[in-house]
Amino acid sequence: MISLLWNYIKINNAELREIKEYFDKCSDEIDKSNLFMLRRVCMYTSLVFLGMMALSYIIVPGFRITPGHIVIIPVLGIYLVINSYTRRKSNITGIKAKVICLVYYTLMCAAFIIMDLAYSERPVLWVPLALMVFPVLYIDRLILYGVEETIAVCVYGFISYQEKGYVYFIWDMYMVIAAYVISMIIGRIILGVRSKEGLALEEVRRFSQVDKLTNVLNKGALIAEIESYLKRRSDDSYCAMCIFDVDDFKQVNDGIGHTGGDALLEHIGELLLKNFRPTDIIGRFGGDEFVVFMPNMKELSLVEFRCRSLQMMLESYRIEDNGPFTLSIGAIVDKGDHCWEDMLRMADDALYKSKMSGKNRCSAWVVRKDIKLTKPGLVFLTTLDEENAQVLLAEESDRFDILACNDNDEAIGYVSQYHNEIKMVVIELNNESLMGSLAIRYIKEREIFSSIPVLAVVDTDEAIPLAEELGADRVLKTETPNELFAITIKELSGV
């Protein structure tokens, strides 16, 4: 006997853990299921209500319409509209979904209480049925079932004591408490079954979302997870996106075969899962390209540290005697509430810079909130601070919104973020430090930006050939008269 009791306790505890895991892992699916069931309940309640009303007039002696019957009609009408809304909006989850469902069931319970109390010399009928059916229709934690139904029992008991005679009150409470106990048993059994089914479906769903080779998310699941996070995030929540691309992967496949290439991709998947946080969204975007999305991340230095750590770990990996293998990485920290497509595009622009700079590099920059450009944009890369840069191009501020910056990454970042609105880039090219040279080369080599005109400003004649070699559309010296600067900018920009 003790052994049987002990086995039952172990089985029960295991089921309770499964139920808890079910609510932790499948909360969104539970909310969607509750809203779906609510729509069905409203539809069938409307049909049954009309049928029962007609039948009651025919076969129930002394039947009369009570306030409870009247309350049900506007409740069903309001929820017809609400259900139409929830059908169109498939992303309603969390507190909003729970409130929509619980308000409906609360109002229906109130209507049943009113109907039962309308007959002071008849035992309770509808409230016990409502209590027993509730766990079948609505998925909630067992303790919350207890709280919700205890409130209904107490409310009914209090009103019944006030409105009915003592004998009917005792009989009512017996029926209601019996229904309460049965509903708790039904809720426990149903939750046990639902949790097993829900977790099994979640495992199947998770398996279908995972790239079989690398054990990270596949492309579709990756995008869905990122979109889901972006819909939930607050306006002041920063995030980061990184793109990892295997350098010379075609040569890897040609040199060690596709089996070796697959082994390399599998190892990269393992490193990504080990190196990044459990909350980060990691996926294979296609071929030899991986994407990591980092929610609640605002430190660019930390993003760069994780990326470079991954590069270092990969360098020690060998397939037979082949290696080392390297990654080029592009990363951004988004502080501007951009959509995932824009973030991916800007991270890809950073990746291109890494490839252009010699591979096995990590390029990263911060993307700030969009500046509302009211005029055509002009990026000005200079050693001057922003205030002095604005003064230098004061005459152009009537025609352009000037985006002043003082390093290559910032200039490239502006071009990446605002390329559709930028009409021109002015770059101060320093022959000794080579400041500006990378920005010119990047803009002219990146096909999507190559049509943006670049004006290079140099200190010496020796720097002119370098600017031309890098692809600058026009080169002027710093001592060039302002009038010629203005004419050149107008010619190049068309503004």
Side-chain angles (χ1 to χ4, degrees), residues 242 244 275-276 294 297 299-313 329 331 333 362 364:
C242 314
F244 302 80
N275 193 52
F276 286 87
M294 305 174 71
M297 174 57 68
E299 296 297 333
L300 185 64
S301 58
L302 185 55
V303 175
E304 291 179 302
F305 173 77
R306 289 190 181 275
C307 291
R308 293 198 169 102
S309 296
L310 190 74
Q311 289 174 318
M312 292 172 64
M313 287 188 285
I329 305 172
V333 171
C362 174

Side-chain angles (χ1 to χ4, degrees), residues 371-378 390 393-403 418 420-423 495:
I371 301 169
K372 300 301 180 185
L373 301 182
T374 58
K375 291 172 280 191
L378 185 150
Q390 296 284 355
L393 291 182
E395 294 181 3
E396 305 302 330
S397 60
D398 292 336
R399 293 184 290 160
F400 298 95
D401 279 328
I402 298 170
L403 304 171
Y418 299 105
N420 288 327
E421 299 167 90
I422 289 172
K423 296 299 182 182
V495 176

Side-chain angles (χ1 to χ4, degrees), residues 138-406:
Y138 180 70
I139 305 172
D140 209 348
R141 296 178 188 270
L142 197 61
I143 189 170
L144 294 179
Y145 279 146
V147 171
E148 291 150 2
E149 297 209 348
T150 297
I151 293 172
V153 169
C154 292
V155 169
Y156 181 80
F158 177 77
I159 301 176
S160 176
Y161 181 77
Q162 303 290 327
E163 299 295 328
K164 290 190 173 185
Y166 181 74
V167 173
Y168 284 107
F169 165 71
I170 294 298
W171 182 251
D172 282 0
M173 292 311 296
Y174 170 77
M175 294 290 291
V176 168
I177 291 172
Y180 172 84
V181 173
I182 293 170
S183 74
M184 290 297 99
I185 296 172
I186 291 172
R188 173 64 180 80
I189 293 170
I190 289 176
L191 280 179
V193 174
R194 279 173 170 160
S195 63
K196 291 182 186 297
E197 292 179 348
L199 290 174
L201 287 172
E202 180 65 20
E203 184 63 21
V204 170
R205 190 180 299 109
R206 189 196 70 80
F207 187 74
S208 69
Q209 292 175 340
V210 171
D211 180 71
K212 306 304 182 292
L213 176 64
T214 61
N215 290 318
V216 298
L217 295 175
N218 58 37
K219 182 177 179 179
L222 172 75
I223 294 171
E225 288 287 323
I226 295 172
E227 285 182 328
S228 176
Y229 168 78
L230 292 178
K231 287 176 183 176
R232 302 190 308 269
R233 77 165 176 174
S234 57
D235 292 339
D236 59 347
S237 177
Y238 302 149
C239 53
M241 182 174 283
C242 314
I243 301 181
F244 302 80
D245 187 86
V246 182
D247 292 326
D248 303 314
F249 187 65
K250 184 178 184 303
Q251 284 84 340
V252 173
N253 275 335
D254 292 342
I256 61 177
H258 288 279
T259 302
D262 287 349
L264 173 60
L265 295 177
E266 183 178 4
H267 183 67
I268 292 171
E270 292 175 5
L271 292 180
L272 287 168
L273 292 170
K274 289 177 182 177
N275 193 52
F276 286 87
R277 304 171 301 176
T279 54
D280 294 335
I281 302 169
I282 303 170
R284 184 181 178 189
F285 200 71
D288 60 324
E289 202 167 67
F290 296 83
V291 169
V292 175
F293 181 82
M294 305 174 71
N296 301 313
M297 174 57 68
K298 61 181 179 181
E299 296 297 333
L300 185 64
S301 58
L302 185 55
V303 175
E304 291 179 302
F305 173 77
R306 289 190 181 275
C307 291
R308 293 198 169 102
S309 296
L310 190 74
Q311 289 174 318
M312 292 172 64
M313 287 188 285
L314 183 62
E315 285 180 359
S316 62
Y317 179 67
R318 296 291 185 277
I319 299 177
E320 297 176 354
D321 293 328
N322 296 285
F325 304 102
T326 61
L327 291 169
S328 290
I329 305 172
I332 63 161
V333 171
D334 178 43
K335 297 185 177 182
D337 196 25
H338 292 89
C339 64
W340 74 267
E341 293 97 335
D342 284 345
M343 282 190 275
L344 186 71
R345 174 183 58 77
M346 289 184 281
D348 189 56
D349 289 339
L351 173 65
Y352 186 88
K353 185 201 165 196
S354 295
K355 290 283 190 182
M356 189 190 76
S357 301
K359 303 179 183 178
N360 196 28
R361 305 291 174 89
C362 174
S363 300
W365 52 70
V366 174
V367 179
R368 297 177 176 83
K369 285 188 179 293
D370 283 327
I371 301 169
K372 300 301 180 185
L373 301 182
T374 58
K375 291 172 280 191
L378 185 150
V379 175
F380 185 23
L381 173 57
T382 174
T383 54
L384 299 172
D385 58 34
E386 185 173 351
E387 185 177 343
N388 287 325
Q390 296 284 355
V391 171
L392 185 63
L393 291 182
E395 294 181 3
E396 305 302 330
S397 60
D398 292 336
R399 293 184 290 160
F400 298 95
D401 279 328
I402 298 170
L403 304 171
C405 48
N406 49 34

